[in-house]
Amino acid sequence: MKKYAAEFVGTFWLVLGGCGSAVLAAAFPDVGIGLLGVSCAFGLTVLTMAFAIGHVSGCHLNPAVSVGLWAGGRFSAKELPQYIAAQVLGAIAAGMVLYIIASGKAGFEASAGFAANGYGSHSPGGYGLFSALVTEVVMTMLFLIVILGATDKRAPQAFAPIAIGLCLTLIHLISIPVTNTSVNPARSTGVALFAGGWAVGQLWLFWLAPMVGAVLGAAAHRFLSSESK
């Protein structure tokens, strides 16, 4: 149970820290943190939690990461349902807390965005479904390559959280304009349920694409890291 509790808390922090920075601080008058700040916030949530709970649960914080670790031979299939449930529940709890905070401001409307992921007219840059699909698959694939490589027994273990956190920051710098960056079905679900409407209607993509990308990333890692005989 400690592992599942750790995943709940870690994913809660990722959504509150990452999506919270987007909703509350990104466009704050005169001193808003913007795209760069939001990207750093997501990376920092993973970096800090990797040190805090990595030794407890592995600090997945993401159903796609759990699936990718399973596909890469690093994680047991029997624990997948429990991990994914804990991650999704943690994300929803964070979405609820963020909604309570944000709704304290006059004029707030969750349906206007609430850091939800989207494509077409709901993409920050107006990118269509295919662009969003390719972005999420490729970004998640590369994320898993970095995660599996950085945590390989042959890599310097103490630096893994730094590599993974910086990778997530870079992913956001690239893809926020396209989809608002998911690469994490739990993160997408946690805010979509409160944004409602279009966000829930487009949520399928942000489950499908990261899962596909995670499996591809695991396959790529297996190929790249296999030792010649």
Side-chain angles (χ1 to χ4, degrees), residues 91-121:
I92 293 172
M96 180 176 65
V97 170
L98 181 57
Y99 181 85
I100 292 170
I101 296 170
S103 61
K105 181 179 179 180
F108 168 74
E109 292 184 14
S111 59
F114 201 55
N117 302 113
Y119 54 85
S121 61

Side-chain angles (χ1 to χ4, degrees), residues 62-138:
N62 182 338
V65 169
S66 295
V67 168
L69 290 172
W70 163 75
R74 302 275 193 87
F75 189 63
S76 170
K78 68 180 182 180
E79 288 197 282
L80 272 176
Q82 296 94 315
Y83 262 62
I84 292 173
Q87 292 155 1
V88 172
L89 290 173
I92 293 172
M96 180 176 65
V97 170
L98 181 57
Y99 181 85
I100 292 170
I101 296 170
S103 61
K105 181 179 179 180
F108 168 74
E109 292 184 14
S111 59
F114 201 55
N117 302 113
Y119 54 85
S121 61
H122 301 293
S123 158
Y127 291 86
L129 172 60
F130 186 69
S131 293
L133 174 66
V134 171
T135 297
E136 291 292 328
V137 168
V138 172

Side-chain angles (χ1 to χ4, degrees), residues 18 41 46 61 80 85 111 113 128 148 163 178 180 182 197:
V46 171
L61 316 186
L80 272 176
S111 59
L148 289 165
V178 184
N180 227 9
S182 172

Side-chain angles (χ1 to χ4, degrees), residues 183-213:
V183 303
N184 184 338
R187 168 261 188 269
S188 297
T189 302
V191 290
L193 294 182
F194 294 91
W198 66 266
V200 175
Q202 295 189 356
L203 186 58
W204 65 271
L205 178 68
F206 303 104
W207 275 86
L208 175 64
M211 293 298 191
V212 172

